[in-house]
Amino acid sequence: MNEQLSIWALVMEAGPLVKLVMLTLVAASITSWALIFQRGITLTRARKSAAAFEDKFWSGLDLVRIYREPSTETPESTEAVFRAGFKEFNRLRQQNGVDPDALMEGVQRSMRVAVAREQERLERHLPTLATIGSISPYIGLFGTVWGIMNSFRGLANAQQATLATVAPGISEALIATAIGLFAAIPAVVAYNRYAAQADSTLASIETFADEFSSILHRKVHSKPVES
């Protein structure tokens, strides 16, 4: 308890600029943790949604039935790509005289747009985590350097230079670096983890888009799809 009180006292006794640095780092840490939880939920849901829809897709159900019975009100991940491609496929098939290659080009273009939207959704806020993780230690170091400079300037006016004279100023300055590391480490770990998860999910979506495109390519060169 005394240690906690002494650290709090050091924070309160820090200079205005060092306090501003600490406050900035605390705000960055709170933002980082909020994004960590939000991204974790989003990426986990996207991975489960993609796996569930692929199980449904490869279960042998009719494509028209899958299209007419969305899993959720707002399809996402693999299902969003499927619905974008199949909608464009049906729209172009209803037009007379559409070349099969032109039809497939339109379908693939529509699915690429859907994949790009999913990529944007999966990678949203990850650059913010990367920024917090990269700059927080430097912000903390800036506060530490500034605090140590003030400590040594105060030491120049002291009649007797002792460790007890310098230690409080250096201690309060080093707290800024500690807060910077506290904000940076979780952000870096979360960024690396979530970036890998986003890449893995996106690769699965792109693979599905290629496989679905092959299925539609076979259909467009055989019999028409009922809609």
Side-chain angles (χ1 to χ4, degrees):
M1 185 68 178
N2 292 333
E3 183 180 357
Q4 294 178 353
L5 290 176
S6 63
I7 293 176
W8 178 252
L10 289 172
V11 171
M12 297 306 296
E13 291 174 3
L17 183 58
V18 178
K19 285 182 179 178
L20 179 61
V21 168
M22 293 179 183
L23 184 61
T24 301
L25 292 172
V26 169
S29 180
I30 294 174
T31 302
S32 173
W33 280 105
L35 293 179
I36 287 172
F37 286 115
Q38 191 268 343
R39 287 289 88 195
I41 294 172
T42 298
L43 290 170
T44 300
R45 185 179 63 189
R47 187 170 64 253
K48 291 181 178 179
S49 175
F53 180 77
E54 288 199 38
D55 290 341
K56 179 180 179 181
F57 181 85
W58 297 113
S59 65
L61 293 176
D62 183 68
L63 295 181
V64 176
R65 179 180 175 183
I66 296 176
Y67 178 77
R68 290 177 177 174
E69 298 178 358
S71 301
T72 59
E73 294 183 0
T74 306
E76 58 185 26
S77 295
T78 309
E79 184 175 2
V81 176
F82 162 77
R83 296 184 68 79
F86 198 66
K87 179 180 180 181
E88 184 68 8
F89 182 81
N90 281 335
R91 187 184 70 83
L92 294 176
R93 288 275 281 185
Q94 292 173 359
Q95 298 178 7
N96 296 325
V98 178
D99 182 71
D101 292 334
L103 186 150
M104 288 307 305
E105 182 179 350
V107 170
Q108 291 170 355
R109 182 169 56 250
S110 179
M111 287 195 293
R112 283 197 299 268
V113 171
V115 170
R117 288 174 179 169
E118 287 303 305
Q119 180 178 8
E120 180 183 0
R121 187 177 67 86
L122 293 174
E123 296 179 350
R124 189 175 301 153
H125 301 312
L126 290 184
T128 303
L129 282 177
T131 300
I132 293 175
S134 61
I135 69 172
S136 292
Y138 295 104
I139 295 176
L141 182 60
F142 170 74
T144 296
V145 171
W146 189 269
I148 291 176
M149 287 172 54
N150 287 336
S151 297
F152 279 108
R153 280 191 297 186
L155 185 62
N157 298 326
Q159 296 180 352
Q160 184 176 2
T162 62
L163 182 61
T165 306
V166 182
I170 296 179
S171 297
E172 70 184 30
L174 290 175
I175 291 176
T177 296
I179 298 176
L181 294 175
F182 179 79
I185 293 174
V188 171
V189 173
Y191 171 78
N192 291 332
R193 177 180 175 82
Y194 292 160
Q197 288 184 359
D199 290 342
S200 176
T201 304
L202 187 62
S204 176
I205 293 173
E206 291 175 342
T207 300
F208 171 82
D210 292 338
E211 294 173 338
F212 184 49
S213 178
S214 298
I215 293 174
L216 295 181
H217 186 273
R218 290 194 296 268
K219 285 183 175 296
V220 80
H221 288 88
S222 58
K223 61 182 180 179
V225 173
E226 298 180 0
S227 58

